[in-house]
Amino acid sequence: MYSIASGLLLLQLISFALGVPPLVRVGAIFSNQNGKHNSELAFRYAIHKLNLDKSLLPETTVEYYIEYVNRFDSFETVQKVCKLVHVGVQAVFSPTDAALATHINSICDALDIPSIGRSAHDFSINVYPSQQYVNQAFIDVIHYLNWTRFGILHEKNFGIINLHQLSRSLQGEVHMRQVSQGSYLSVLNEFKSKEIHNIIIDTNSDGISILLKNILQQQMNEYKYHYLFTSFDLETYDLEDFKYNFVNITSFRLVDIGDVSVKQILKDIGSYSHHMFQNPYVNRHLRKSVSIESEPALMFDSVYVFAIGLQTLDQSNTLNLPNLTCDEEIPWNGGLSLINYVNAVEWKGLTGPIQFKEGQRVQFKLDLIKLKQHSIVKVGEWTPHGHLNITEPSMFFDSGSMNVTLVVITILETPYVMMHYEKNFTGNERFYGFCVDILETISHEVGFDYILDLVPDRKYGAKDPATGEWNGMVAQLMKYKADLAVGSMTITYARESVIDFTKPFMNLGISILFQVPTSEPTRLFSFMNPLAIEIWIYVLNAYFLVSICIYIVGKLSPIEWSFWFTIGTLMQQSTDIYPRAISTRIISSIWGFFSLIIVASYTANLAAFLTTERMINPIENAEDLASQTEISYGTLDSGSTMTFFRDSMIETYKKMWRSMDNKKPTAFTTTYEDGIKRVNQGNYAFLMESTMLDYIVQRDCNLTQIGGLLDTKGYGIATPKGSPWRDKISLAILELQEKGDIQMLYDKWWKNTDETCTRRSTSKQSKANALGLESIGGVFVVLIAGIFVAAVVAFFEFWFNFRCHDKARPIHPGVNHDQGVILESEWTYTPLNRCFWIEIFEELRFASWCMNKQKRPELNRVCSECKIPQKPI
């Protein structure tokens, strides 16, 4: 590919060798509509330039014939084309008017005469960029601008984009309106009432000036409006009234007026118009030499494309002059060769690089331009191969230089947004808190002022399932009554579908706020807690079972005290009686192992039970909360937490939602403060965001978090759909996060030691707490009870021995005391007349004396019937 000057020089060198006829006739069809003469001027100048400098066709003169038609009169158009055919034209040029091109190409196709202009027929060259590519260019821009709700103004029989293809390629809320010059105002008023701020203008260029006046009349020229014109002639419009209101106007252009060669051609066209035409309106735009409409530029390029194609014909191909008529409809035998060579042209003209494929232009460059305060500037470009390339993204998203004041809505929520109610605070000074500090920091980073106010209904925003209407801050943004919404506003799928969110400035989840569980009361017999009651029963049964087994297996009598052996082993005490048989020793060994495990387990668990404070917690997680009915629970009304449970597909959360929904309105609260108050009153659990919960529990030691997070989400700053502030604020948030500024603000508002309470830790301490009587008092009770039982048993043992055993000495009257021998057969037992209480007294006295006397004293009893004999000496 080569530039205009170099291409003309190169083609001049090879033109002498080609068989080009000395006279080439071409025809052109133009509309006779007033004010549509710029394309004709460009056509005349292009032919004039070809014949004047002889750089392309040194031996050939181009002769042109022009006919004027009514663009809506098809019969007249056909007649004028046939007139040109009868003259012997070798090509017909038509403007980019689609209505005219259809009639012209129908005849040219039948006679194999090249038609150059705007068409998709076989024997035509469409210098206008391919419809498919143009559509894709606008789709790419809409995607870049993140438009999900916009309107389209289009006119019948006009328009550049394919509306059906556009609607299929975009997802979102699109309002299409077919308009005319008389209905511009009403449709704009409709869009304004519906808060549609992004509008595509795909109308006839003739009515643009009227449309612009209607936009001013409706006061729709503020910064929040963005107009995307499909016309390539934005630089030719009078936008003086729009330059200083920061309204967004964007479009593409075909002609790069900054190119040096383009400037020269525009200057030459202006001089040619000044000398050739006496009517000044004919060149009202071109004589400025600073801009040119796309249609005249395409007409100029069409003539040179034809000339280059004509010059590149092979020498063996002689281009015969056509001798055709519309009556016979005999095709021109040289038309096919000519159209093929024109189709192979690669050139750079006024409208940029030109290349064709099957008659359609597939190589071009569209400059993306945007209205700035004082001028229209290039902000990017689009090509079929590279697609959209934005070179000045700040023109779309950097609004800091505009000194704009944004309307920001919020909702009171400690510590995110709080309010001073004193009279000496006015305006933005009334508000303070975590989110207010973030907003202030971001406003300095991005560069905007703001007016902060409360949302009227004091709600974040939820969708009514019955009506589909939104409320709260979401509704305000959807209606474009606010530019930003700042607060503890959760990013959710439902909200993201109707408004936009920035990057999250805080991550969190849903958790359960509940009262701190009360300590388990200390029981007197808490030393039994390490083993369950059934274990104690099993141990007791095992004791009796093993004792009986030892008795039976050893075939021992009861006097061998097998029961004492088993209890002594269990209590880790030594005994004087040990099993001797192998069988009884096996049982004893197994019993010893059993006792070892039981005693070790008891000892280990006893320490934990006595030294660890145990809490009575009726719920541990969401499943516990859902499976009981004694504790009520709820959440904030019209918040993201409520929406989470309402839309959840998890069975536990669905069950919880049914319970809350059945208890409306008592299950829900209008503010977090109401929910916290109900939790403090008892028997109520409040489901809330973890960050807010963390703030509360650090200031109220009677409250705590139950379980973990039920989900994961984030807080973001909300904007209307397609807002230019979203991406810029997101970048500012990321920067603040990387620098640690947001974390410092979090510490400031969450961990202020002047406000936090001192919570008694329940974790393990380095030194065990001393045990009180309430913990091990039961052991003393068991000891006292054991002593009492032993005393009672001792009493009955003494009584039994007193009643059942005689303590009389044996005696016989005829005994030989000198010999000192008494035979057992000669014994005689004489019962004593004794007193039971005297015996007890004597036993107790002996017990008190046992520390000093080694031998138990003899009973000192006197009887009137007998006397205990003395042993002979």
Side-chain angles (χ1 to χ4, degrees):
M1 305 205 16
Y2 42 89
S3 63
I4 299 175
S6 60
L8 296 180
L9 180 59
L10 178 62
L11 291 175
Q12 181 181 12
L13 296 177
I14 64 174
S15 62
F16 298 101
L18 301 179
V20 179
L23 180 64
V24 174
R25 295 187 178 92
V26 296
I29 302 291
F30 295 104
S31 172
N32 56 13
Q33 186 177 356
N34 291 335
K36 287 290 185 179
H37 299 283
N38 292 335
S39 296
E40 178 185 350
L41 174 63
F43 174 76
R44 291 175 180 270
Y45 172 73
I47 301 296
H48 168 76
K49 185 175 178 62
L50 281 175
N51 293 329
L52 183 64
D53 58 23
K54 297 297 182 178
S55 57
L56 276 178
L57 302 172
E59 303 295 330
T60 304
T61 300
V62 179
E63 186 178 273
Y64 63 86
Y65 298 85
I66 297 177
E67 296 292 339
Y68 303 96
V69 298
N70 185 338
R71 62 183 301 270
F72 299 109
D73 191 338
S74 59
F75 180 76
E76 180 187 11
T77 302
V78 171
Q79 291 294 106
K80 294 296 178 70
V81 173
C82 289
K83 182 178 179 181
L84 294 176
V85 171
H86 183 73
V87 172
V89 296
Q90 294 171 301
V92 176
F93 295 88
S94 63
T96 57
D97 191 309
L100 286 177
T102 300
H103 306 310
I104 297 171
N105 292 325
S106 61
I107 299 177
C108 291
D109 284 351
L111 300 177
D112 287 1
I113 297 176
S115 173
I116 305 176
R118 184 177 186 179
S119 176
H121 291 256
D122 293 337
F123 277 84
S124 62
I125 298 295
N126 188 5
V127 295
Y128 192 87
S130 172
Q131 176 76 65
Q132 175 185 356
Y133 290 136
V134 172
N135 254 48
Q136 188 58 51
F138 283 101
I139 291 173
D140 289 348
V141 172
I142 295 172
H143 281 156
Y144 178 77
L145 296 176
N146 194 30
W147 284 7
T148 55
R149 183 175 185 266
F150 57 92
I152 299 179
L153 300 183
H154 66 96
E155 290 189 38
K156 186 178 181 180
N157 299 324
F158 288 97
I160 292 177
I161 58 176
N162 187 318
L163 297 178
H164 295 290
Q165 180 185 351
L166 185 71
S167 60
R168 289 194 304 266
S169 302
L170 296 174
Q171 294 181 351
E173 182 182 345
V174 182
H175 299 260
M176 291 188 183
R177 298 293 184 270
Q178 181 175 315
V179 296
S180 61
Q181 293 185 12
S183 62
Y184 287 160
L185 192 61
S186 61
V187 175
L188 288 173
N189 184 58
E190 177 191 354
F191 282 0
K192 183 178 181 179
S193 62
K194 291 183 176 180
E195 301 290 343
I196 300 175
H197 294 165
N198 300 320
I199 303 174
I200 298 177
I201 308 295
D202 189 30
T203 60
N204 185 9
S205 298
D206 295 341
I208 293 295
S209 58
I210 299 176
L211 178 63
L212 294 176
K213 291 180 180 179
N214 292 153
I215 290 175
L216 293 173
Q217 185 177 348
Q218 288 291 328
Q219 296 182 349
M220 298 173 65
N221 58 332
E222 300 175 356
Y223 76 94
K224 64 178 64 177
Y225 289 96
H226 197 153
Y227 299 95
L228 178 59
F229 285 84
T230 61
S231 171
F232 296 145
D233 303 325
L234 181 66
E235 292 173 305
T236 65
Y237 302 154
D238 183 9
L239 301 176
E240 189 66 27
D241 295 329
F242 293 84
K243 289 181 178 180
Y244 305 100
N245 294 321
F246 309 111
V247 64
N248 296 281
I249 297 180
T250 308
S251 181
F252 283 112
R253 72 180 180 191
L254 267 174
V255 182
D256 183 6
I257 59 175
D259 188 274
V260 177
S261 57
V262 172
K263 288 182 178 180
Q264 184 60 45
I265 293 177
L266 294 181
K267 181 179 180 181
D268 294 343
I269 293 177
S271 300
Y272 175 78
S273 173
H274 178 73
H275 290 92
M276 296 296 296
F277 296 94
Q278 297 184 6
N279 294 332
Y281 73 91
V282 173
N283 196 31
R284 64 185 186 278
H285 290 304
L286 299 182
R287 287 191 301 112
K288 296 179 182 179
S289 298
V290 293
S291 62
I292 184 173
E293 295 173 341
S294 57
E295 188 170 320
L298 289 170
M299 180 58 71
F300 179 89
D301 287 348
S302 298
V303 173
Y304 269 84
V305 165
F306 171 75
I308 296 172
L310 195 65
Q311 281 293 329
T312 53
L313 281 171
D314 190 82
Q315 287 183 339
S316 59
N317 292 334
T318 303
L319 190 64
N320 298 320
L321 295 176
N323 185 14
L324 307 173
T325 62
C326 292
D327 298 332
E328 298 180 0
E329 295 187 0
I330 300 176
W332 177 32
N333 57 7
L336 181 59
S337 298
L338 180 58
I339 199 69
N340 288 335
Y341 278 97
V342 174
N343 192 50
V345 170
E346 294 185 17
W347 187 58
K348 181 180 180 182
L350 283 178
T351 59
I354 299 175
Q355 185 178 350
F356 302 99
K357 182 179 181 181
E358 297 179 357
Q360 298 298 308
R361 184 173 178 179
V362 295
Q363 181 65 287
F364 56 91
K365 179 174 70 70
L366 297 177
D367 290 336
L368 185 64
I369 56 177
K370 190 176 186 296
L371 177 65
K372 203 175 180 180
Q373 286 178 294
H374 302 288
S375 61
I376 296 176
V377 296
K378 178 182 176 181
V379 295
E381 63 182 35
W382 192 96
T383 59
H385 302 292
H387 290 277
L388 186 64
N389 177 29
I390 301 296
T391 57
E392 297 291 338
S394 60
M395 288 297 298
F396 294 99
F397 305 112
D398 187 7
S399 304
S401 60
M402 297 182 182
N403 194 24
V404 175
T405 300
L406 302 183
V407 176
V408 183
I409 55 175
T410 187
I411 187 171
L412 295 179
E413 203 68 75
T414 306
Y416 300 97
V417 179
M418 295 171 284
M419 192 172 183
H420 294 293
Y421 293 96
E422 294 81 359
K423 294 182 179 180
N424 55 333
F425 290 98
T426 59
N428 296 343
E429 296 178 351
R430 297 173 297 163
F431 302 96
Y432 67 101
F434 175 70
C435 288
V436 177
D437 288 350
I438 289 182
L439 177 62
E440 182 67 20
T441 305
I442 291 176
S443 67
H444 291 300
E445 291 285 336
V446 179
F448 62 85
D449 295 326
Y450 61 91
I451 299 175
L452 188 60
D453 206 352
L454 296 175
V455 62
D457 60 2
R458 302 299 194 271
K459 293 183 178 180
Y460 288 95
K463 184 179 181 180
D464 190 331
T467 63
E469 296 294 328
W470 286 83
N471 58 14
M473 292 192 291
V474 176
Q476 296 295 308
L477 293 174
M478 292 177 62
K479 297 175 182 179
Y480 291 89
K481 294 183 178 180
D483 301 296
L484 300 176
V486 176
S488 54
M489 193 169 185
T490 307
I491 303 172
T492 64
Y493 169 78
R495 289 173 177 171
E496 188 76 46
S497 63
V498 294
I499 59 176
D500 281 343
F501 280 95
T502 64
K503 297 291 184 182
F505 59 83
M506 179 177 285
N507 296 311
L508 62 146
I510 297 175
S511 192
I512 304 172
L513 180 68
F514 196 60
Q515 271 189 322
V516 172
T518 58
S519 300
E520 183 178 3
T522 304
R523 295 186 299 175
L524 188 60
F525 295 94
S526 59
F527 67 90
M528 298 184 66
N529 290 342
L531 298 181
I533 185 64
E534 60 267 19
I535 299 300
W536 288 111
I537 296 174
Y538 294 155
V539 170
L540 185 61
N541 291 336
Y543 162 68
F544 285 107
L545 178 63
V546 172
S547 298
I548 294 172
C549 288
I550 292 177
Y551 169 72
I552 295 175
V553 173
K555 296 181 181 180
L556 302 175
S557 64
I559 61 175
E560 289 201 41
W561 306 100
S562 61
F563 284 85
W564 167 244
F565 169 77
T566 52
I567 194 63
T569 304
L570 183 62
M571 295 300 176
Q572 304 292 299
Q573 300 205 3
S574 61
T575 62
D576 295 334
I577 302 174
Y578 298 99
R580 296 180 180 180
I582 296 178
S583 58
T584 55
R585 288 186 176 183
I586 292 175
I587 297 176
S588 301
S589 300
I590 296 301
W591 173 252
F593 174 76
F594 171 81
S595 302
L596 175 65
I597 298 301
I598 290 296
V599 171
S601 301
Y602 173 81
T603 304
N605 213 15
L606 178 64
F609 268 83
L610 294 181
T611 58
T612 303
E613 183 181 15
R614 304 186 65 81
M615 314 295 285
I616 299 177
N617 200 347
I619 55 174
E620 297 288 345
N621 46 46
E623 286 73 16
D624 294 344
L625 198 61
S627 60
Q628 56 81 47
T629 57
E630 295 181 0
I631 300 175
S632 301
Y633 51 90
T635 185
L636 189 68
D637 187 24
S638 298
S640 62
T641 305
M642 186 196 77
T643 306
F644 167 79
F645 284 98
R646 186 190 66 192
D647 300 337
S648 177
M649 301 303 295
I650 300 175
E651 188 58 35
T652 300
Y653 303 152
K654 290 170 65 176
K655 184 178 179 181
M656 295 175 67
W657 169 251
R658 288 193 296 268
S659 175
M660 290 186 286
D661 193 39
N662 292 333
K663 295 179 181 178
K664 277 185 177 180
T666 59
F668 301 100
T669 62
T670 55
T671 63
Y672 276 127
E673 285 73 15
D674 293 340
I676 296 167
K677 182 179 179 181
R678 291 187 62 182
V679 173
N680 274 315
Q681 292 173 352
N683 209 35
Y684 181 78
F686 192 55
L687 300 158
M688 61 190 303
E689 276 84 3
S690 58
T691 50
M692 188 66 185
L693 189 149
D694 185 31
Y695 179 84
I696 296 301
V697 299
Q698 290 196 44
R699 285 156 177 79
D700 191 343
C701 290
N702 295 322
L703 303 178
T704 186
Q705 176 179 337
I706 299 297
L709 301 182
L710 307 185
D711 68 340
T712 304
K713 52 193 174 184
Y715 286 154
I717 297 177
T719 67
K721 274 291 185 182
S723 172
W725 301 99
R726 186 195 65 173
D727 289 349
K728 192 65 178 178
I729 295 176
S730 293
L731 292 175
I733 290 175
L734 293 176
E735 183 180 2
L736 294 176
Q737 287 176 336
E738 291 177 358
K739 295 191 300 183
D741 292 347
I742 293 182
Q743 182 61 43
M744 288 189 291
L745 291 176
Y746 178 86
D747 294 340
K748 169 187 174 182
W749 290 102
W750 263 259
K751 301 180 180 180
N752 189 342
T753 55
D754 295 336
E755 299 178 2
T756 56
C757 66
T758 303
R759 189 179 298 270
R760 183 167 59 92
S761 177
T762 58
S763 61
K764 291 184 178 181
Q765 303 294 327
S766 59
K767 183 178 179 180
N769 296 327
L771 297 177
L773 183 62
E774 67 276 3
S775 299
I776 59 175
V779 177
F780 293 93
V781 174
V782 172
L783 176 62
I784 295 173
I787 294 173
F788 175 77
V789 171
V792 173
V793 172
F795 175 81
F796 281 102
E797 283 180 341
F798 187 83
W799 176 83
F800 179 80
N801 290 331
F802 177 80
R803 297 289 299 174
C804 299
H805 297 278
D806 291 334
K807 290 190 177 183
R809 295 291 183 89
I811 188 172
H812 192 275
V815 65
N816 188 350
H817 294 286
D818 296 333
Q819 296 177 353
V821 177
I822 301 176
L823 299 176
E824 185 178 355
S825 60
E826 298 175 347
W827 287 4
T828 299
Y829 292 89
T830 303
L832 300 177
N833 186 10
R834 297 170 293 169
C835 178
F836 173 74
W837 297 108
I838 293 175
E839 286 291 333
I840 290 179
F841 176 76
E842 290 294 334
E843 290 291 336
L844 292 176
R845 188 175 63 167
F846 169 73
S848 64
W849 289 348
C850 64
M851 298 298 294
N852 299 322
K853 295 186 178 182
Q854 299 297 327
K855 185 177 180 180
R856 178 177 178 175
E858 295 290 341
L859 295 176
N860 186 14
R861 300 183 181 91
V862 178
C863 182
S864 60
E865 300 291 336
C866 64
K867 185 178 180 179
I868 299 176
Q870 297 294 327
K871 184 176 180 180
I873 301 174

